[in-house]
Amino acid sequence: MARNSSGTADQTPVGIIGAGPAGLMLSHLLHLQGIDSIVLELRSREYVEKRVRAGVLEQGSVDLLNATGVGDRMKRQGLVHEGIKLRFSGEEHRIDFRKLAGRSITVYGQQEVVKDLIARRLSDGGDIRFEAQAVAVGDISGQPTIRYRQAGDHRELRCRVVAGCDGSHRVAASSMLDDSFQVYERQWPFGWLGILARTPPATDELIYAHHERGFALHSMRTPEISRLYLQVPADETMDHWPADRIWDELRIRLNEPKLKPGEILEQGITPMRSVVTEPMQRGNLFLAGDAAHIVPPTGAKGMNLALNDVNILAEGLVEYFRSGARDKLDTYSERCLRRVWRAEHFSAWMTGLLHRDPAGDPFEYKLRLSYLRYVTTSTAAATTLAENYVGFDPGPTPLA
Ligand code: APR
Ligand code: PHB
């Protein structure tokens, strides 16, 4: 077991596995309330700061970053968007978020959020252990321990509570799952080939394009850097996608002649999955973010759900460490899941609406086109898309 300088075992009130948006924000929120934590992260600092992921923040996430003092760079560099464009059948239609849902979104890369949180945690004296791999969580109904490996050593961290924020790797989840849990899962028959490229965005707002050759998305990071995606088969590899083919396909599917090829800075293929683990907790182990649920990226919800979970978890932990009361902690999963399922539904709905069905059923194709026309001509349907995209939190009370 690892010993610290005083010769005792390493311990902390809250052991956090994973330095993604969930783990880092949780550590930050707890610190602001005077609660210590230790974050164990499998990868190096450089790796997590460079890992390219999604980049859409709902207003609620922007507000959380600002309210907790980590929003300065986002305020300067984030791109505020008041709508998105839908393209299909050679037409373009705008969904006006501001008009339909009264809110905007901010385009700001997930790794920028991660950089801002790491910088702040370290300047606040936070303990983030990089290249530390959690291998198991033990005794989750009592005083849990995290067994981890760092620099070839086997170590142990004793905690009062463990937060599994380890993304889709699921070391934390596998330490608690048994027959009493439900894991709901859907594997989508396609993935996204994503590139980050040095080329000015050919659009001022995100373009979601439905095309008979497959879905495409034009997003962006800065006035010089674009983020672009193509629907590809689930088992596709990059070998089939030389740069010329990527650019040709993007221009065709996006129907965007202004898009100019540029240096590809990063590329990769991500399979698409929908997953929800219920409940998201057991004893003193709590799952948050991708460790608890995964959404396909079409609805741009992943980072927002992760931040929402840890905001709710931090509230429960603060109450617990201040007074010993577990009321909020015990209802953590329940309080998260309403929003999680709304986002799961929305993400699956957007995915089905915009992607080409690999089975190529012509009836499905016509239904999809009809729905796209409905969403772009009916205020009620457009409002459904807008209010979900900007972030909808279904309250406990149904409409009267
Ligand atoms: N030990 C320590 N760290 C681990 C382990 C492990 N065994 N396994 C995974 N990790 C780390 C990963 O290296 C990663 O940095 O946990 C972190 C999980 O971070 P994310 O994957 O970013 O997950 P989360 O914080 O929940 O954020 C969700 O990330 O994948 C996107 O679309 C998703 O936007 C969403 C967001
Ligand atoms: C991104 O900018 O990476 C992005 C935007 C919207 C999505 C998914 C990803 O739906």
Side-chain angles (χ1 to χ4, degrees):
M1 185 187 298
R3 304 273 157 185
N4 66 22
S5 50
S6 61
T8 54
D10 262 352
Q11 49 189 318
T12 180
V14 186
I16 300 175
I17 310 175
L24 291 165
M25 180 51 100
L26 179 61
S27 176
H28 177 53
L29 290 169
L30 293 174
H31 170 76
L32 294 177
Q33 299 294 328
I35 299 167
D36 284 343
S37 62
I38 292 178
V39 180
L40 303 175
E41 167 55 49
L42 174 65
R43 307 286 191 170
S44 66
R45 177 176 180 183
E46 196 194 8
Y47 184 95
V48 295
E49 291 190 343
K50 286 207 175 128
R51 185 169 44 194
V52 180
R53 293 276 185 79
V56 172
L57 290 166
E58 296 170 359
Q59 191 57 49
S61 302
V62 168
D63 293 345
L64 179 66
L65 293 167
N66 282 331
T68 59
V70 284
D72 287 355
R73 212 161 58 90
M74 173 195 62
K75 261 188 267 177
R76 277 183 274 118
Q77 296 175 15
L79 307 166
V80 177
H81 286 193
E82 308 256 294
I84 54 168
K85 294 167 182 174
L86 293 182
R87 288 189 181 171
F88 59 94
S89 305
E91 302 166 24
E92 176 179 293
H93 301 269
R94 179 163 189 265
I95 305 289
D96 187 331
F97 294 158
R98 174 68 49 202
K99 195 169 91 197
L100 296 164
R103 271 175 287 165
S104 54
I105 52 144
T106 297
V107 180
Y108 187 62
Q110 180 168 314
Q111 84 269 30
E112 306 304 326
V113 174
V114 163
K115 269 187 220 162
D116 295 341
L117 284 166
I118 290 176
R120 178 60 188 267
R121 283 308 294 124
L122 296 181
S123 75
D124 283 347
D127 187 343
I128 309 176
R129 303 184 182 176
F130 291 100
E131 299 180 78
Q133 179 183 21
V135 286
V137 185
D139 198 10
I140 57 176
S141 50
Q143 298 265 323
T145 51
I146 307 173
R147 281 195 288 113
Y148 69 103
R149 269 197 294 265
Q150 193 178 25
D153 287 342
H154 291 271
R155 302 177 183 222
E156 202 165 276
L157 183 62
R158 289 190 188 156
C159 319
R160 285 180 63 194
V161 166
V162 172
C165 304
D166 51 338
S168 51
H169 298 244
R170 296 177 72 75
V171 164
S174 60
S175 302
M176 74 176 200
L177 291 182
D178 64 16
D179 291 349
S180 64
F181 286 80
Q182 282 279 353
V183 180
Y184 300 89
E185 184 157 12
R186 174 183 289 179
Q187 207 77 39
W188 295 86
F190 35 74
W192 278 11
L193 185 164
I195 63 166
L196 188 73
R198 197 180 303 286
T199 187
T203 172
D204 55 346
E205 289 180 336
L206 271 57
I207 303 171
Y208 285 79
H210 174 269
H211 195 278
E212 59 202 7
R213 297 168 73 98
F215 169 74
L217 170 61
H218 188 336
S219 182
M220 60 206 69
R221 288 293 178 269
T222 69
E224 296 81 35
I225 305 282
S226 296
R227 180 83 173 133
L228 298 140
Y229 298 95
L230 287 169
Q231 175 187 352
V232 294
D235 55 358
E236 188 63 303
T237 59
M238 284 308 302
D239 314 344
H240 298 115
W241 289 90
D244 288 352
R245 182 174 176 208
I246 296 175
W247 290 112
D248 289 347
E249 201 63 27
L250 282 167
R251 266 195 307 267
I252 296 170
R253 293 191 198 178
L254 290 167
N255 191 19
E256 185 46 78
K258 288 200 299 295
L259 179 64
K260 298 277 174 282
E263 181 192 357
I264 296 181
L265 305 168
E266 200 269 348
Q267 61 181 27
I269 294 177
T270 319
M272 288 188 19
R273 281 197 302 153
S274 300
V275 183
V276 180
T277 306
E278 274 197 32
M280 295 163 54
Q281 66 191 88
R282 177 174 214 165
N284 288 319
L285 173 59
F286 299 84
L287 305 181
D290 272 20
H293 40 70
I294 296 175
V295 282
T298 329
K301 289 281 160 257
M303 178 166 37
N304 298 293
L305 285 181
L307 294 174
N308 188 60
D309 286 353
V310 295
N311 200 18
I312 294 175
L313 182 54
E315 209 192 317
L317 290 171
V318 169
E319 184 186 69
Y320 176 59
F321 283 108
R322 291 226 171 111
S323 69
R326 286 192 67 108
D327 307 27
K328 285 190 176 151
L329 264 191
D330 289 343
T331 52
Y332 162 68
S333 173
E334 195 186 309
R335 289 198 290 149
C336 290
L337 282 169
R338 255 199 307 264
R339 190 178 185 132
V340 167
W341 275 113
R342 177 86 307 278
E344 288 287 349
H345 175 268
F346 175 64
S347 307
W349 177 77
M350 281 283 276
T351 302
L353 181 67
L354 289 162
H355 287 71
R356 177 179 171 275
D357 160 26
D361 178 346
F363 193 78
E364 279 294 328
Y365 180 70
K366 288 301 227 181
L367 290 181
R368 195 168 295 126
L369 279 182
S370 168
Y371 209 100
L372 278 164
R373 188 150 308 285
Y374 181 49
V375 160
T376 49
T377 50
S378 148
T379 307
T383 304
T384 292
L385 197 164
E387 77 176 357
N388 279 280
Y389 199 107
V390 300
F392 186 76
D393 197 354
T397 328
L399 291 175

